[in-house]
Amino acid sequence: GENVEQHPSTLSVQEGDSAVIKCTYSDSASNYFPWYKQELGKRPQLIIDIRSNVGEKKDQRIAVTLNKTAKHFSLHITETQPEDSAVYFCAGRSNAGGTSYGKLTFGQGTILTVHP
Amino acid sequence: SQTIHQWPATLVQPVGSPLSLECTVEGTSNPNLYWYRQAAGRGLQLLFYSVGIGQISSEVPQNLSASRPQDRQFILSSKKLLLSDSGFYLCASTFPDRIGTQYFGPGTRLTVL
């Protein structure tokens, strides 16, 4: 099955700096990679996702890049703000065997702290 | 609108007691539904998923079970809770506007004492 590794486990930056979180996946059949942000005590919220037919996607200060050859994808947050502080999870979805249930395999999470 | 409801929001139960958590979805039909558990400070563990009424697949063998009696209702149950069952239980659903994307409900925080 799919295995997703996420690094770093914790990341501390100063307000205004950029933050980068990286994930690697094992299943070359994976074709969908969402990123979730989870604030303390709340549900994970989808912030951006990318499908395997594109290499990069951007939404304001957030971007995701995908390298299918190397099987890794990254989340980039520019001009970080204190409200970006949260736990971020990456995930991958394998389409191996034509499964339609959309099972996601999550990374272990990254605790991002943005210092004012 | 597309909404996921979970109840109760919080629950404190003694060891050995039964459990029933409910998830309902609005604004879609025939969604894929998922139950996740998140231990304190940890990642997301997929427990069960369902692609239709009465169709349940288990990811982790344990003392929990799931049922889907209606198209947009997903229930997580246990006959006897263990201390290790404590955690944040999240229901997730797919919606037709974004194929394959999972959205999470507000969660149930369970403490087993």
Side-chain angles (χ1 to χ4, degrees):
Chain A
E2 174 71 289
N3 183 49
V4 176
E5 298 287 335
Q6 182 172 347
H7 299 281
S9 56
T10 60
L11 180 59
S12 183
V13 300
Q14 289 297 126
E15 183 176 2
D17 288 349
S18 295
V20 180
I21 302 170
K22 299 181 179 180
C23 291
T24 60
Y25 61 98
S26 60
D27 189 344
S28 57
S30 290
N31 59 3
Y32 174 65
F33 306 93
W35 286 88
Y36 291 85
K37 174 185 180 182
Q38 187 177 27
E39 297 177 346
L40 190 63
K42 297 190 176 180
R43 76 184 87 181
Q45 298 267 22
L46 178 74
I47 55 172
I48 196 167
D49 56 10
I50 191 167
R51 300 185 189 270
S52 59
N53 57 343
V54 298
E56 184 173 359
K57 184 176 179 180
K58 191 172 183 180
D59 183 3
Q60 299 182 17
R61 296 187 296 109
I62 294 174
V64 58
T65 57
L66 171 64
N67 184 326
K68 288 194 297 181
T69 302
K71 291 191 283 188
H72 67 71
F73 56 110
S74 300
L75 177 71
H76 304 254
I77 306 174
T78 58
E79 300 172 26
T80 54
Q81 302 166 5
E83 50 265 39
D84 293 329
S85 297
V87 180
Y88 290 80
F89 291 97
C90 65
R93 184 191 71 180
S94 174
N95 197 37
T99 57
S100 62
Y101 55 81
K103 175 185 170 184
L104 294 177
T105 301
F106 285 85
Q108 298 86 345
T110 296
I111 301 172
L112 173 64
T113 303
V114 181
H115 299 282
Chain B
S1 64
Q2 299 163 348
T3 309
I4 304 171
H5 300 280
Q6 286 188 246
W7 61 88
T10 60
L11 191 59
V12 179
Q13 292 285 95
V15 169
S17 63
L19 173 74
S20 181
L21 304 181
E22 188 166 347
C23 170
T24 59
V25 180
E26 295 179 0
T28 188
S29 59
N30 196 31
N32 292 342
L33 297 173
Y34 310 82
W35 278 113
Y36 290 88
R37 177 170 62 197
Q38 188 174 37
R42 304 295 295 275
L44 297 157
Q45 179 187 32
L46 178 63
L47 301 175
F48 300 94
Y49 65 89
S50 172
V51 300
I53 296 174
Q55 301 179 61
I56 308 294
S57 295
S58 173
E59 285 292 305
V60 184
Q62 52 200 317
N63 67 320
L64 299 173
S65 62
S67 62
R68 187 169 175 174
Q70 300 180 46
D71 181 46
R72 291 172 292 171
Q73 183 185 31
F74 204 22
I75 296 172
L76 183 69
S77 303
S78 175
K79 292 182 179 179
K80 285 187 176 182
L81 284 169
L82 306 172
L83 285 173
S84 57
D85 291 325
S86 293
F88 192 36
Y89 287 82
L90 291 154
C91 176
S93 174
T94 55
F95 290 108
D97 60 331
R98 298 177 68 98
I99 296 173
T101 301
Q102 291 183 27
Y103 296 91
F104 287 90
T108 295
R109 192 161 303 280
L110 171 66
T111 303
V112 183
L113 301 174

